[in-house]
Amino acid sequence: MTEIPIDLDKHRGMAAQKATDIRRVVADVEANAKLLRETQGVVEIQLLAVPATSWPEAVAKARYVLNLYSASLAPSDTHHRDLVTAVLADLTRLSGEN
C-alpha cells in the first residue's frame, strides 16, 4: 500500500471533472449561506435587544434594515430601489460620513 494519494480526477473525463467541481462549489455556497443565515440571526437579535444610544448607532440599524428591504425587492422595482438609495444617501450626508 502506498502513502501517496491517487488523484482520481485525472482518470475521469473532463465533463465528470467539471460536474464534480460544480458540486463542490454548490456545497461551499450552501455551507456559507447557512453560516450567513446563522450570523444574520445573531446580529438581528442584538439589534432588537439593544436600543441605539446615539444617532450613528440608529443610522447603522436603519442602513441594515434598508439593505434587507432592498435585497428583497424585485429587480424591476426601480422606484423603491431608487427610494432606498436616496434615503441611504441622506443618512450618509446627515451623519457627516463621506
Side-chain angles (χ1 to χ4, degrees), residues 18-79:
K18 287 186 179 187
T20 299
D21 289 342
I22 290 171
R23 283 193 304 274
R24 287 176 182 156
V25 168
V26 168
D28 286 346
V29 168
E30 289 173 350
N32 289 336
K34 181 181 179 194
L35 179 61
L36 180 61
R37 282 190 302 273
E38 291 170 357
T39 303
Q40 183 177 0
V42 170
V43 167
E44 290 174 0
I45 289 169
Q46 290 175 345
L47 289 175
L48 282 170
V50 180
T53 58
S54 66
W55 278 108
E57 288 179 13
V59 167
K61 283 184 171 186
R63 279 193 181 120
Y64 179 80
V65 172
L66 285 170
N67 285 323
L68 279 179
Y69 172 68
S70 180
S72 71
L73 293 173
S76 60
D77 192 354
T78 57
H79 176 72

Side-chain angles (χ1 to χ4, degrees), residues 77-92:
D77 192 354
T78 57
H79 176 72
H80 287 122
R81 288 185 179 284
D82 291 345
L83 184 59
V84 168
T85 301
V87 171
L88 289 172
D90 288 344
L91 290 173
T92 299

